[in-house]
Amino acid sequence: MLKSSQFQFTGNINVQTMERQAGIFIAEKNTAVGWNAHGKENKVFGDVSGECNILLHNISILNDPDFIDTPIDDRDINFSFETPGNENESNISLDSVNVTTMLNNSSLLVGKGQINGIDANQKQNVSHGNTYGNMNHITKNLSINNDPDMIDAIIDDQDIKIANINWD
């Protein structure tokens, strides 16, 4: 069997925005098994990305009086098996990778990749939200978010993740 490969990355990686549970995998062989990202997030205003954003006279109020806040039960069992296969000749050559926005559970894979078991359970209170791009003008806004739950964002994620990674 021919086992020859060439991986060459000589350029730049430019990333503007990545959210939770996002990944960039650049290699000859990529393996990710059993990703986990659980949580609750309160943001009063949110994220601002880009250049020359103008945000004036904003009032953001977030009220989240939970009695029990985000109980998480995550008892994952992860198994990963690699099965050697016929490796053919592969040539990968990159100058650059540009990513503008990667949201939850996003992946960019270059090369042979096996991505299994991605979890991203989340409850998010954002009073205003995300702002992306250039030259945004956000003026004189009022954002109010009230979330008076007795029990908030119950996450019961008890996965069994089995990955058979076959490199052929």
Side-chain angles (χ1 to χ4, degrees):
M1 303 298 155
L2 179 63
K3 291 188 176 183
S4 174
S5 62
Q6 177 181 358
F7 183 83
Q8 181 178 3
F9 181 76
T10 59
N12 297 321
I13 298 175
N14 299 315
V15 179
Q16 296 298 318
T17 304
M18 291 181 72
E19 295 282 333
R20 291 171 48 103
Q21 199 69 355
I24 298 175
F25 301 92
I26 299 176
E28 185 175 348
K29 292 182 181 180
N30 299 295
T31 303
V33 178
W35 290 25
N36 283 299
H38 308 285
K40 180 188 174 195
E41 183 174 332
N42 286 333
K43 293 182 182 179
V44 175
F45 186 79
D47 300 328
V48 177
S49 299
E51 297 178 9
C52 300
N53 296 305
I54 299 172
L55 308 170
L56 298 172
H57 306 291
N58 293 299
I59 298 173
S60 297
I61 300 170
L62 192 141
N63 185 18
D64 189 22
D66 302 317
F67 184 70
I68 299 173
D69 199 2
T70 318
I72 298 172
D73 188 1
D74 181 35
R75 293 180 255 179
D76 293 338
I77 300 171
N78 300 309
F79 296 104
S80 177
F81 305 99
E82 183 171 337
T83 305
N86 295 337
E87 296 198 18
N88 299 322
E89 183 175 346
S90 61
N91 294 308
I92 299 172
S93 179
L94 296 173
D95 289 330
S96 64
V97 175
N98 295 311
V99 177
T100 303
T101 302
M102 292 181 71
L103 298 178
N104 296 346
N105 282 352
S106 298
S107 297
L108 170 70
L109 287 94
V110 177
K112 295 180 182 179
Q114 297 285 334
I115 306 297
N116 299 338
I118 298 175
D119 279 344
N121 301 316
Q122 176 181 352
K123 189 216 174 178
Q124 183 177 14
N125 288 334
V126 179
S127 180
H128 182 273
N130 299 327
T131 303
Y132 300 107
N134 296 325
M135 300 300 295
N136 294 312
H137 301 279
I138 301 173
T139 61
K140 300 179 183 179
N141 291 314
L142 174 66
S143 299
I144 299 173
N145 186 340
N146 186 20
D147 189 18
D149 301 320
M150 181 64 115
I151 301 173
D152 197 7
I154 299 172
I155 298 174
D156 185 13
D157 183 22
Q158 300 179 26
D159 298 335
I160 297 174
K161 301 172 186 177
I162 301 172
N164 184 11
I165 299 165
N166 188 2
W167 298 109
D168 58 352

